[in-house]
Amino acid sequence: MISLSVNGSTQSLGDIDPETPLLWALRDTLGLVGTKYGCGIAQCGACTVHLNGVPVRACQVKVGNLEGQDITTIEGVANEDGTLHALQEAWIEHDVPQCGYCQAGQIMSAAALLSANTKPDDDDINAAMAGNICRCGTYTRIVEAIHTAAGKLDQGDTA
Amino acid sequence: MNNLQNGYNDPLEAIESGRINQLSRREFIKLSGVGAGLALAFVSVPFSKSVAAASEGSEFNLYVQINRDGVIRIYSPNPEVGQGIKTALPMIVAEELDANWEDVVIENSPIADEYGRQRAGGSRSVPLRWDELRKAGAGVRAMLIEAAAGEWNVPSSEVTTDQSKLMHASSNRQTSYGAVALLASELNPPAVDSLTFKNPEEYRLLGTRITGTDNMALVTGKPIFGIDLQLPNMLYASYTKCRTIGGRVVKANLDEIKALPGVVTAFVLEGTAGVPRFDPTGVSITPGVAIVAESTWQSFKARESLKIEWDTSEASSDSWSDHVASAAELRGQEGSTVLAEQGDASQVINDATTKVSSQYNFSFVSHAQLEPQSCVAHWQENIMEVWSTSQAQLFVRGSVADLLDIPKENVIAHQLRGGGGFGRRLNNDYIREAALIAQRVDAPVKLQWSREDDMAFDFFRPGGFYNMQASVDENGKLNAWNSHSIAVSADGKEPNVAAGLRPIDFPREILQHYKHTLTLLPSKTPTGPWRAPSSNSYAFVEQSFMHELSVAAKRDHAEFLIASMGEPKWFREGEDYSLNTGRAVNVIKIAAERAGWGAEQPAGRALGLSFYFCHAGHVAEVADVSVDRNKKITVHKVWVVADVGQIINLSGAESLCHGAVIDALSTMMGLEITMTNGRTEQSNFDQYPLLRIGSRPEIDVHFVDSGYSPTGLGEPAFPPLAAAVCNAIYTVTGDRIRGLPIRKSGYTI
């Protein structure tokens, strides 16, 4: 029996195989399907979630190591009052997604970046987002949206 | 060889052509007998926002329902795989309906014959739906006007509309669409020829920036993709096929597998004979072993214990190195099959003082859409229900029905958002696999391919070769052309799907001496349409070669390209899918101007130009590239100038151009699928280096307002890019790159 915190609430994973990657536990066991399967080898970043606030690839993290740990997924990245995270707003404002499949992972990587660096420049963004592939090629707008969100957060909006 | 005459080289067009012609004559308003069937289908649409709300609405036609509270529900018929069609098509309806976009709720339509070409391919969704959806919107607007006029007892001609409202100016009365919807929906629909449409200058939506209809769901992680569907008691399947393409199962350790944790059952699907072929409509199944388990991970984990004995006697034995060797032997030669000939190109080139002869090559590539193939299928009481991301939904029901030998009426298909398509989802292979597996299981089953499955069992963009020979006269004018397509073929008669047959019209239409020949290389590797089939590779050949010719002729590249087009005309008068030299010259000129063509560039840096016409789109691109001494390139900026007629969603259109540039840069730089003895050598993204965010260029997109009806934009901005970049590299370094990806020539980004 493994229990962990997901998006602020305690979740029990039942008699799950401890080798199960967090990705599949989130999707199949907890029904949190916003975290996406793309490659299974930490190359694409579609499964990016926060483990104790740090971005990780959920396909590489075994649930057996997560007892009592704190996970945040795209479903839990919005503000506590239920309003969208500045990044989510900016993603809509800039119409970032094409197919949209990578975008949850992109937003999770960007959210980790902004929580550590409130005024990232393009180099900071390139470095923080290098692990996230967008097969459709929406990089231009991803960068614009991160700048927009950073600007809003900097003006004192809640993160 | 019909594809040769087909300017858009779309292998599915022939299958569809009868249907499209039939539909274009159809009156789309209020099709009889549709309502009952659709109502049933709505009940099982899993992600519909509110089935109850839908049933409260007044149904006007296949696309529009209006609720009493003013909510306008528009059904989007075509598959969404990232091209933005689920936003674009309803915009067309809403424009002619004169609806307030704030009132519009968009849902995927059911999959039903009444919806015609439910397919995402050939950049054709917008142009082929354009008239139909304008009629659907204008028809409803006319009915709303008539209902309001009746209520007010005034002539219909005095009632106007604005943003979901109806007005009668002289009596100062106003009502809403919602208020008269019920009454209006009970009126007889107007005759199509009585409808009036807006002039483009009256557009409120078309040509503006509208954020994607699913964006809120996407940024909050809502379940909207095919892979996201979960049904009660659903089981999860993996399907293991022979890595040597076309191998058949002799035996497998099924009893051991069935004893593994979470495994419910395991069985062999015998499959159909021969190597897999692109088959959206048929019943082919690649042999393999299905493992059905209680979770995706358990079905994946159990695969690792599979021991399968394969029979590869009929399988592919292809090796890319064999193709390379065969092409090398053909260097400088014509092909034995003449596809087109006029004048005496060989003689003119032979006699010319200024001539160029080059061989070009390009790799096989994988679609690598980010969502690996998956499909949910549920078999109950002789009815098969499938939820898929097919780009060719219109063939799903028939294909599954034929496979299972049940009536088409017994197959219910649902369309879910696809995480990328690029043509991969035009094949319905994975849907048939899911259906066949589900038929043997007493529960809904989600078939999940791994990334490794996806890359190994793709229907690839075919690799190939072109011998190019041409000459210019003493005035530096192109005067003869002799091209030779060296293309893969399984049957020795025709190139495989999407393998090289180009060129089509250019430069045949501008030259007296022209010849195009073909040689077929034996190959069983499955191929299929990949974003801008054949153009995605041939554009690199043609537009690099045109640059070679301009250099040989000592002429400015832009000036040479423009001069080669000649006078403004349609190559095939009356055909929208024909190159128009006036539109071509226009986009080339604008691109050159925007990019500052001709201005002096810093050392180690140059502009490269390319133009290409495909999918009815005229697109010119200029790339600003620098190259360092280690062959590391930087693409600073790309200018895209496109004439695709009326823009539907400016935001989506611009984004598609961004994506096409990134995709094309990614592909030309590093992407290559190779095979040895029938086995694909790449299996995941660690061996398939898709472009990362730090390598993106700045991208400037400009659309020409040419006054033409809209044509598609999913594809035509892709093809020109590779040549633009390589032409710039040549200008910097003098190194003419004639093979893709250019990583093989030592370049990095």
Side-chain angles (χ1 to χ4, degrees), chain A residues 28 88 92 95 98 139 141, chain B residues 211 296 417 651 654-655 691:
Chain A
D28 292 354
Q88 293 171 308
I92 295 171
D95 191 20
Q98 282 189 28
Y139 296 135
R141 290 185 177 181
Chain B
T211 199
T296 310
R417 189 181 187 89
S651 177
E654 182 190 79
S655 186
L691 198 79

Side-chain angles (χ1 to χ4, degrees), chain B residues 441-672:
Chain B
V441 179
D442 191 21
V445 178
K446 182 193 289 181
L447 169 65
Q448 182 62 57
W449 286 26
S450 67
R451 171 57 55 192
E452 289 81 3
D453 292 329
D454 207 275
M455 201 164 278
F457 305 111
D458 201 350
F459 293 77
F460 302 102
R461 189 281 294 273
F465 310 83
Y466 280 90
N467 288 345
M468 307 295 286
Q469 298 183 353
S471 56
V472 293
D473 64 19
E474 60 279 8
N475 299 317
K477 187 175 179 335
L478 180 65
N479 66 350
W481 177 282
N482 192 349
S483 50
H484 172 196
S485 169
I486 302 165
V488 289
S489 171
D491 64 5
K493 296 173 190 161
E494 288 190 27
N496 290 340
V497 175
L501 280 172
R502 298 227 160 209
I504 311 276
D505 290 337
F506 181 87
R508 182 182 63 206
E509 295 296 328
I510 58 161
L511 288 175
Q512 200 180 339
H513 303 285
Y514 167 88
K515 190 171 185 181
H516 184 46
T517 61
L518 175 68
T519 296
L520 299 176
L521 301 177
S523 170
K524 288 183 173 178
T525 302
T527 65
W530 193 104
R531 191 178 207 171
S534 79
S535 296
N536 60 42
S537 40
Y538 176 69
F540 158 69
V541 176
E542 178 190 282
Q543 290 296 307
S544 298
F545 189 61
M546 286 297 284
H547 187 227
E548 287 201 73
L549 289 166
S550 76
V551 171
K554 299 185 171 58
R555 292 176 71 178
D556 173 78
H557 185 202
E559 185 258 330
F560 181 78
L561 267 189
I562 288 166
S564 71
M565 289 293 165
E567 294 302 305
K569 64 167 184 174
W570 292 98
F571 277 167
R572 283 174 279 156
E573 192 64 45
E575 281 192 39
D576 292 347
Y577 278 66
S578 153
L579 191 152
N580 179 306
T581 54
R583 295 173 82 177
V585 166
N586 194 36
V587 294
I588 295 167
K589 282 183 174 169
I590 296 172
E593 189 184 307
R594 291 178 78 86
W597 185 263
E600 193 161 333
Q601 301 294 322
R605 188 162 169 173
L607 300 180
L609 169 66
S610 174
F611 162 80
Y612 199 73
F613 169 81
C614 70
H615 300 84
H618 299 75
V619 184
E621 294 179 6
V622 176
D624 174 6
V625 182
S626 57
V627 188
D628 75 10
R629 65 185 62 184
N630 297 316
K631 289 187 154 184
K632 185 175 190 308
I633 72 165
T634 303
V635 182
H636 302 279
K637 186 168 181 177
V638 173
W639 290 263
V640 179
V641 177
D643 180 354
V644 290
Q646 171 70 45
I647 297 299
I648 306 299
N649 182 357
L650 181 58
S651 177
E654 182 190 79
S655 186
L656 281 174
C657 291
H658 289 170
V661 165
I662 300 288
D663 188 7
L665 185 58
S666 180
T667 307
M668 67 163 289
M669 279 308 309
L671 302 186
E672 179 182 36

Side-chain angles (χ1 to χ4, degrees), chain B residues 126-414:
Chain B
V126 163
L128 289 174
R129 295 280 185 194
W130 173 243
D131 285 339
E132 168 193 350
L133 295 180
R134 288 162 72 226
K135 287 174 191 167
V140 175
R141 178 173 167 271
M143 292 162 79
L144 292 164
I145 286 175
E146 192 185 336
E151 285 281 282
W152 293 333
N153 201 18
V154 299
S156 293
S157 59
E158 293 179 7
V159 177
T160 58
T161 61
D162 181 44
Q163 301 280 299
S164 307
K165 289 199 262 312
L166 294 137
M167 280 88 64
H168 186 246
S170 58
S171 64
N172 200 22
R173 278 179 291 189
Q174 180 176 314
T175 186
S176 69
Y177 283 7
V180 298
L182 183 61
L183 194 62
S185 71
E186 288 167 351
L187 297 170
N188 287 326
V192 169
D193 58 15
S194 73
L195 297 177
T196 55
F197 302 103
K198 289 185 181 177
N199 292 317
E201 54 269 25
E202 296 173 293
Y203 287 159
R204 306 279 289 266
L205 280 172
L206 299 187
T208 67
R209 293 177 181 272
I210 299 289
T211 199
T213 184
D214 282 338
N215 281 348
M216 176 63 85
L218 290 169
V219 304
T220 53
K222 294 290 186 297
I224 59 171
F225 292 96
I227 197 174
D228 296 341
L229 180 64
Q230 291 182 313
L231 296 178
N233 306 313
M234 188 174 79
L235 297 173
Y236 300 81
S238 65
Y239 188 55
T240 304
K241 296 178 274 198
C242 185
R243 288 295 299 270
T244 302
I245 303 292
R248 301 176 69 96
V249 182
V250 177
K251 60 179 179 184
N253 58 336
L254 296 178
D255 290 338
E256 278 176 53
I257 297 300
K258 286 178 193 170
L260 293 171
V263 174
V264 175
T265 185
F267 47 86
V268 171
L269 295 186
E270 194 180 335
T272 41
V275 293
R277 312 265 23 114
F278 179 69
D279 181 19
T281 56
V283 298
S284 62
I285 289 282
T286 303
V289 177
I291 300 174
V292 182
E294 290 165 359
S295 73
T296 310
W297 174 245
Q298 286 169 322
S299 75
F300 280 8
K301 190 79 181 158
R303 294 178 71 166
E304 295 172 13
S305 304
L306 257 180
K307 294 189 185 73
I308 305 173
E309 185 185 322
W310 301 103
D311 171 4
T312 58
S313 56
E314 302 289 320
S316 168
S317 58
D318 288 359
S319 295
W320 174 244
S321 57
D322 291 346
H323 297 331
V324 171
S326 300
E329 286 177 18
L330 293 166
R331 197 178 282 269
Q333 298 175 25
E334 292 181 2
S336 51
T337 303
V338 178
L339 296 173
E341 185 172 20
Q342 60 202 27
D344 193 345
S346 311
Q347 192 64 47
V348 173
I349 295 169
N350 200 44
D351 294 346
T353 15
T354 308
K355 55 192 163 189
V356 180
S357 174
S358 298
Q359 186 180 70
Y360 284 82
N361 68 80
F362 45 87
S363 59
F364 279 78
V365 294
S366 174
H367 294 84
Q369 76 294 336
L370 200 56
E371 179 190 8
Q373 303 290 40
S374 73
C375 176
V376 175
H378 193 191
W379 174 249
Q380 35 181 4
E381 295 170 14
N382 216 36
I383 289 177
M384 181 59 78
E385 194 164 6
V386 292
W387 291 259
S388 83
T389 55
S390 175
Q391 288 180 250
Q393 290 285 358
L394 81 166
F395 300 132
V396 165
R397 295 177 61 222
S399 174
V400 169
D402 290 349
L403 174 74
L404 304 180
D405 199 18
I406 58 176
K408 188 175 164 186
E409 294 70 40
N410 287 21
V411 180
I412 302 168
H414 305 280

